[in-house]
Amino acid sequence: MKIERLLRKNIRRLKPYSAKEVPCRVKLDANESPYGFPSFLAPLSDVRTNQYPDPEARELRRVAARLWRLRAGQILPGNGSDELISYLITTFGGPVLFPVPTFSMYGIIAQALGEDAVSVPLDSAFDLDVDGMLAAVRKHRPKLVFLSSPNNPTGNSFSTERIMRIVDASRGIVVIDEAYQPFSGGRGMLHLLGDHENVTVMRTLSKVGFAALRVGMLIGREDLIEAVNRVRLPFNVSALSQAVAVEALKNFSEVKKALKMIRKERERLYSGLKRTDGVTPYPSKANFILFRVGDAEAVYRGLLTRGVLVRYLGPALRDCLRVTVGTPEENGIFLAALREALRRGRQ
Ligand code: PMP
């Protein structure tokens, strides 16, 4: 498969912004301040805040590549994976295909960029409706298919066999968004990259304790990364984010300890929800649980008056709410507030 053939015409001839790093003694070429790091930020004092960040995020890509046993050229860091979704659609254009309900930004960015978005409802178990997806692939010939697995907001992973049938049938790129993979207990889909030329994977640090950094990664074949890099805005990942992300990835075994606690707590929260009258939780492989609760909007408000904020998902999932797994204490407060809100609602 030739990536070039899939690109929008205007992207084929596009050269990426050039930000050369020229070694020098006095650097006065880029309108930076000569005054650097305040001492109160000493722990991060190696970061030169007066200069632009490494435009290529080399250390971050190197450390990520080592963690995932890939080459640095297979990784493109973004200002969150949101930015990478935007870059993918800017690079390849539409139609963009995705199942629903899913992460809303695939549709929002496609629409914002004037590209056609095609959605196919998930089946009743929230798995991919593979016949519906394959029919949409044949009819619309999407340039991009987005599959969030585990899926937000349903929490389940899609069956690998169904994902593979869509991968095999697609002439465009299939993006497997693994924002929640660290909670799934599975190994994820990075191993597909070698054998499946139209697969690319997204990961993010946002769900594993570093949402404030805004660091996501697009992971795939080097010519795809090179193509998407053409539309990347210069210095898209800040130096502080790069520096903290490097430390986070270097110490990923520490990060994993928190993930293990969240997974354990997810199971406790799931049982608590299951034991709650009027509530049906769905099994989750992510760091949140979707639960069916009848009049979701009223329960949402009932929780909020008790100081607990969960996610109301609107008309797409009218009778469901989504709750993020918190600390044991937070989950206890949530469950007590939920039971109270439901009791009040029934009176
Ligand atoms: N993909 C999915 C499936 C998500 O749920 C989210 C965030 N809610 C994102 C991507 C965006 O993540 P980031 O913070 O890296 O932009």
Side-chain angles (χ1 to χ4, degrees):
M1 188 182 76
K2 278 235 178 307
I3 288 286
E4 281 293 327
R5 188 177 55 75
L6 290 166
L7 300 182
R8 292 160 85 189
K9 281 207 184 64
N10 51 326
I11 303 299
R12 286 188 198 156
R13 289 182 305 276
L14 186 62
K15 296 255 188 315
Y17 178 87
S18 141
K20 290 202 187 70
E21 289 241 315
V22 183
C24 61
R25 197 158 66 91
V26 180
K27 185 171 183 310
L28 296 173
D29 67 335
N31 301 344
E32 297 154 327
S33 163
Y35 305 109
F37 218 84
S39 58
F40 60 84
L41 289 174
L44 289 171
S45 58
D46 285 347
V47 178
R48 291 177 305 182
T49 58
N50 58 318
Q51 295 185 359
Y52 282 111
D54 173 0
E56 310 294 335
R58 279 166 300 189
E59 175 72 352
L60 176 54
R61 285 166 47 228
R62 197 178 60 74
V63 172
R66 202 171 57 205
L67 181 67
W68 294 321
R69 298 198 189 91
L70 298 165
R71 290 180 297 280
Q74 292 181 276
I75 294 169
L76 185 71
N79 192 259
S81 17
D82 288 338
E83 186 184 48
L84 298 168
I85 298 166
S86 175
Y87 288 168
L88 280 162
I89 301 176
T90 304
T91 305
F92 294 105
V96 177
L97 172 66
F98 45 84
V100 280
T102 192
F103 183 46
S104 56
M105 288 309 288
Y106 312 139
I108 291 171
I109 295 172
Q111 191 180 341
L113 293 175
E115 299 294 346
D116 286 336
V118 180
S119 59
V120 173
L122 292 170
D123 71 12
S124 56
F126 295 144
D127 203 348
L128 294 164
D129 167 3
V130 81
D131 293 332
M133 291 292 285
L134 292 179
V137 165
R138 279 192 299 270
K139 180 165 175 208
H140 300 281
R141 301 186 172 277
K143 289 282 197 72
L144 287 161
V145 182
F146 284 94
L147 302 176
S148 158
S149 188
N151 185 42
N152 176 13
T154 57
N156 57 306
S157 292
F158 298 140
S159 83
T160 307
E161 185 256 338
R162 294 185 190 191
I163 292 177
M164 292 320 301
R165 285 182 61 194
I166 293 163
V167 166
D168 290 341
S170 297
R171 306 288 301 278
I173 307 293
V174 178
V175 185
I176 304 180
D177 182 347
E178 293 195 329
Y180 301 99
Q181 182 279 334
F183 306 98
S184 71
R187 62 179 174 155
M189 296 288 185
L190 286 178
H191 66 279
L192 291 183
L193 293 179
D195 294 337
H196 298 273
E197 55 180 5
N198 60 338
V199 170
T200 186
V201 173
M202 282 195 309
R203 295 261 175 107
T204 179
L205 290 182
S206 292
K207 312 298 167 185
V208 299
F210 301 94
L213 300 186
R214 308 300 298 124
V215 173
M217 314 259 187
L218 182 66
I219 308 155
R221 46 192 278 186
E222 276 164 281
D223 55 355
L224 178 141
I225 296 296
E226 183 277 316
V228 177
N229 189 51
R230 294 181 207 176
V231 306
R232 181 173 64 85
L233 299 179
F235 316 111
N236 59 323
V237 181
S238 84
L240 280 163
S241 292
Q242 288 186 36
V244 181
V246 163
E247 292 309 313
L249 293 180
K250 275 187 181 164
N251 296 285
F252 211 70
S253 50
E254 282 301 308
V255 175
K256 276 189 178 155
K257 287 184 190 158
L259 304 184
K260 207 168 148 194
M261 271 165 39
I262 291 171
R263 286 218 304 270
K264 205 167 125 207
E265 203 39 37
R266 176 181 71 203
E267 298 321 310
R268 241 172 50 83
L269 181 58
Y270 180 81
S271 333
L273 284 165
K274 214 160 179 169
R275 285 196 307 272
T276 304
D277 276 347
V279 172
T280 314
Y282 292 96
S284 171
K285 298 269 187 207
N287 65 339
F288 56 81
I289 297 178
L290 183 77
F291 60 98
R292 200 168 283 278
V293 73
D295 187 351
E297 200 175 351
V299 178
Y300 169 81
R301 276 190 268 105
L303 282 168
L304 202 51
T305 54
R306 289 166 180 82
V308 179
L309 179 63
V310 298
R311 187 61 173 245
Y312 173 58
L313 298 153
L317 282 166
R318 218 173 331 111
D319 48 0
C320 289
L321 294 173
R322 191 192 70 194
V323 61
T324 304
V325 181
T327 61
E329 192 194 356
E330 288 170 327
N331 301 332
I333 295 171
F334 156 72
L335 280 172
L338 176 65
R339 288 168 187 161
E340 208 179 284
L342 286 166
R343 256 199 316 276
R344 280 289 154 83
R346 275 194 285 272
Q347 277 168 9

